[in-house]
Amino acid sequence: MTKVEVVDLRSDTVTLPTDEMLEAIRHARLGDDVYGEDPTVNELEALAAERMGKEAAVLVPSGTMANLVSLMSNTKRGDLVILESEAHMYWYEAGGLSAIAGLLPWPLKSEFGVLNPDVVEAAIRPRNIHFPEPTLICVENTHNRHGGTVVSPKQLEVLGYVARTHGMRFYMDGARIFNAAVALGVDVKDFTRHVDNLMFCLSKGLSCPAGSLVIGTKDFVERARRNRKVLGGGMRQAGIIAAAGIVALEKLVQRLADDHRNARFLAEGCARVEGLSVDLARVQTNMVVLDISDLGVEDGVFRSKLKEHGVLAGSIGRGKVRLVTHRGIEKEHVERAMDAIITAVDDLRGKADA
Ligand SMILES: Cc1ncc(COP(=O)(O)O)c(C=O)c1O
């Protein structure tokens, strides 16, 4: 019997490098990047800065380090940082923003991950001896826990205006900013022009094995380079990471549209399954969130059922299961996932009815 391939929809971080990336890694020109001497890293940093329309960029090992380095480089200890209450930085980065950057997070609820500028403005404290100094507003784009939703250039423009008016910086966790750009069919600079600085990940839909870039002005990136060193993220022959990143930026951005199409197809299929509910308005990029609360089981039970049928799904808690499309997931895999989902729901509903 041939082994049936598992359909892994937990995250786009499970993508493996392309053959072209592996070739590029094999032939990359290398040097010591802590001395600034790795030509491949230097090339990637220049390319990333140019793509984002900013002065400079620095490569870091992960998205989490990119966010932490950026927080440290935009603020001083004790400052207040406004962010969205479902933000990755607030949920999934082990509290580094407080434990290491020494910041007071001020989370604000939002619709679809898009901060309301009036609510942001109301949260900004006066500069007065009693209050932590509000120095930074953060957005996440696309927004992971909201289901891969896009914060549009227009929405960024308004938030950027609020930040500037109050003498604050404006930062974007753009881990999946290319998904946002491809979804709206616009240049990524249409987003980045409204923020002071940002990060994006190579290691998600862009399929690289590792790496994220922190991008902004020369001064900001200089501070980021120092903070990367503080955190132990200065890498030596990091050209082996950068080589794959160059291939990703040159070849793999536009194909994200395939992931979006597959997510849409999956979401529409799941929305027709009795017992599941899907907010189709949130399916804007490569994620689908299934609300399984009507099944009356913990999401772990649902995910185990799916696994029995060869499909891996992620959890975002509160009766919600997340499915993420990515390179390697084709229409046939989405169809297999649909079959598994229908079978799992039937099994669980059968149990509930019994
Ligand atoms: C929005 C967002 N920011 C940051 C990160 C952190 O990236 P990493 O897993 O590379 O640390 C992730 C990871 O999924 C993410 O979704």
Side-chain angles (χ1 to χ4, degrees), residues 62-64 67 88 93 140 144 173 175-176 199 201 203-204:
S62 69
T64 300
N67 278 335
H88 196 278
E93 299 184 6
E140 185 173 310
N144 185 339
D173 171 349
R176 296 182 180 80
M199 75 84 156
C201 293
S203 54
K204 303 197 160 64

Side-chain angles (χ1 to χ4, degrees), residues 75-119:
T75 62
K76 60 186 185 318
R77 295 180 69 78
D79 283 356
L80 181 138
V81 173
I82 291 178
L83 40 62
E84 205 277 338
S85 62
E86 300 292 315
H88 196 278
M89 274 189 276
Y90 191 57
W91 274 76
Y92 297 123
E93 299 184 6
L97 87 176
S98 298
I100 299 173
L103 299 168
L104 178 70
W106 202 256
L108 300 176
K109 285 200 190 311
S110 82
E111 287 294 322
F112 288 72
V114 183
L115 288 169
N116 176 328
D118 296 334
V119 176

Side-chain angles (χ1 to χ4, degrees), residues 29 90 95 112 127 138 252-253 255 262 273 308 331-332 349:
R29 290 185 304 134
Y90 191 57
F112 288 72
R127 288 179 200 255
C138 301
L252 288 161
V253 171
R255 66 147 304 287
N262 283 329
V273 178
E308 282 171 27
K331 187 134 183 252
E332 79 215 51
R349 280 166 67 88

